[in-house]
Amino acid sequence: MQDPRELYQLETDTHASALGAHTMVVSLGGLIDAGNTQKLITAHLLGSLEHTVVASFDVDQLLDYRGRRPAMTFDRDHFSDYDDPSMLLYRMVDTEGTPFYLLAGPEPDYQWERVIEAIRQLVRRLGIQLVVSVQGIPMGVPHTRPVGLTQHASNPSLIPDNDAVFGMVQIPGSLDSLMHLRLGESGIDTVGFAVHVPHYLAQMDFGDAAVAGLRAVTGLTGLDIPVTELAALAGLHRAEIERQVADSDEVGDVVHGLEEQYDAFTEGLKRQSLLATELAELPSADEIGAELEQFLAEETDTDDAPDDGPDFLR
């Protein structure tokens, strides 16, 4: 592997000891980001919180320009602008003054292992203890029900209330997924949130998923990140979705069918939970055995005691 340190450069003269922060949020795209969930969260963070660039990556080594072709602007008789791709590490400050990091940019096409090693070096250098990412995944769920999410972590204790939706499955790899694996292997805590986005909205902006993802991050990290503007944007998205659903009977039928499936699935989970609670209240085999032994011992003691006659004769 080539030296990972040659992939990035620090953009500040401040010593690393003065740049420390507990958490880093990673937003590097991936195979899919349904509902533009990650994109909406990243834009909201950069648009609502104070930030400075701490490090930049050499994207010329990492991107396939012909594969994704950055946009350029042609103005009458000349080219006037170029959407220069960048992969930057920002030092953010939440509303209470707590610092954290945001690593944002396009998913690298090349040198994944080297990129992840560079990220690991920056994590160690800046004293980061927790790496978090959020993305949207398409699911057969309706937009009219609460937004769900799938959690994963390098250490299960980081997500103690996790109710797994999937068993063991194989999926196409992404830099984000490999990063979670590699950082976890080196002892760095990582948590990922995959927000469930209705499959018919996968190519649209779905603000409700972004709000759910951001709240998952703040709930985990304790960061104070405003969500009001993002929630307002989500409201506009909902209104547009409802308008389109109302204009199409076919789409309306799909949504209604998903609602019935979702409600039936949720009811099934409630029944399982109730059954589990009832079973949990029953004594275990060991407890029953202990009670039986105590009962027999007491009966034996009673049989061995002298008979003083009926109580009313005492």
Side-chain angles (χ1 to χ4, degrees):
M1 179 188 297
Q2 301 178 59
D3 189 349
R5 290 173 296 183
E6 296 178 357
L7 272 181
Y8 65 90
Q9 65 178 15
L10 296 178
E11 302 289 348
T12 177
D13 294 329
T14 305
H15 193 272
S17 61
L19 294 173
H22 178 273
T23 301
M24 179 171 72
V25 177
V26 176
S27 175
L28 294 178
L31 177 67
I32 189 170
D33 182 33
N36 294 322
T37 302
Q38 188 179 99
K39 179 180 177 181
L40 290 170
I41 292 175
T42 302
H44 177 70
L45 292 175
L46 293 174
S48 61
L49 296 177
E50 176 186 342
H51 59 273
T52 56
V53 176
V54 171
S56 61
F57 282 72
D58 184 1
V59 295
D60 266 352
Q61 298 189 54
L62 304 176
L63 297 188
D64 175 9
Y65 286 88
R66 292 198 305 172
R68 58 181 75 196
R69 296 196 182 276
M72 297 187 69
T73 301
F74 182 78
D75 186 3
R76 299 186 63 183
D77 57 4
H78 68 286
F79 289 99
S80 61
D81 194 23
Y82 170 55
D83 188 9
D84 191 7
S86 61
M87 181 173 164
L88 303 173
L89 179 64
Y90 301 91
R91 190 172 191 267
M92 316 285 295
V93 180
D94 75 358
T95 56
E96 292 187 346
T98 302
F100 68 100
Y101 282 98
L102 170 66
L103 178 60
E107 180 186 38
D109 295 302
Y110 308 115
Q111 305 186 50
W112 282 7
E113 294 283 6
R114 189 178 177 211
V115 170
I116 292 168
E117 177 57 24
I119 293 172
R120 191 191 68 81
Q121 290 181 3
L122 286 169
V123 166
R124 298 294 194 195
R125 184 170 187 171
L126 298 172
I128 295 167
Q129 300 177 45
L130 176 65
V131 176
V132 186
S133 68
V134 182
Q135 69 179 117
I137 59 173
M139 295 281 283
V141 294
H143 69 279
T144 53
R145 297 296 185 266
V147 177
L149 54 82
T150 297
Q151 308 175 74
H152 61 87
S154 58
N155 186 340
S157 66
L158 296 170
I159 48 174
D161 299 325
N162 184 45
D163 187 11
V165 176
F166 301 102
M168 182 181 293
V169 296
Q170 284 192 322
I171 60 174
S174 66
L175 183 133
D176 182 87
S177 301
L178 184 59
M179 177 196 69
H180 281 277
L181 177 63
R182 292 290 185 250
L183 294 185
E185 289 173 344
S186 61
I188 298 170
D189 287 338
T190 76
V191 175
F193 298 106
V195 186
H196 303 167
V197 175
H199 60 81
Y200 52 89
L201 302 177
Q203 303 302 319
M204 300 173 58
D205 287 347
F206 184 49
D208 283 342
V211 170
L214 184 57
R215 285 177 172 161
V217 171
T218 57
L220 172 71
T221 64
L223 292 170
D224 189 2
I225 300 174
V227 73
T228 304
E229 292 184 7
L230 189 58
L233 182 62
L236 296 177
H237 293 164
R238 281 196 304 275
E240 175 60 20
I241 293 167
E242 290 299 338
R243 184 190 67 79
Q244 294 189 28
V245 171
D247 289 344
S248 172
D249 291 338
E250 182 179 355
V251 174
D253 290 341
V254 170
V255 173
H256 180 64
L258 290 173
E259 288 173 339
E260 291 183 336
Q261 291 179 16
Y262 180 93
D263 293 342
F265 178 75
T266 302
E267 182 62 28
L269 289 180
K270 288 181 180 178
R271 291 178 180 176
Q272 290 179 13
S273 177
L274 178 61
L275 178 60
T277 300
E278 292 174 346
L279 291 175
E281 293 174 352
L282 295 175
S284 67
D286 290 340
E287 291 172 334
I288 294 173
E291 290 288 339
L292 179 59
E293 289 180 3
Q294 182 178 353
F295 173 78
L296 292 175
E298 291 175 351
E299 287 296 306
T300 301
D301 292 341
T302 301
D303 292 342
D304 293 341
D307 187 359
D308 295 329
D311 290 342
F312 66 85
L313 292 179
R314 295 174 188 170

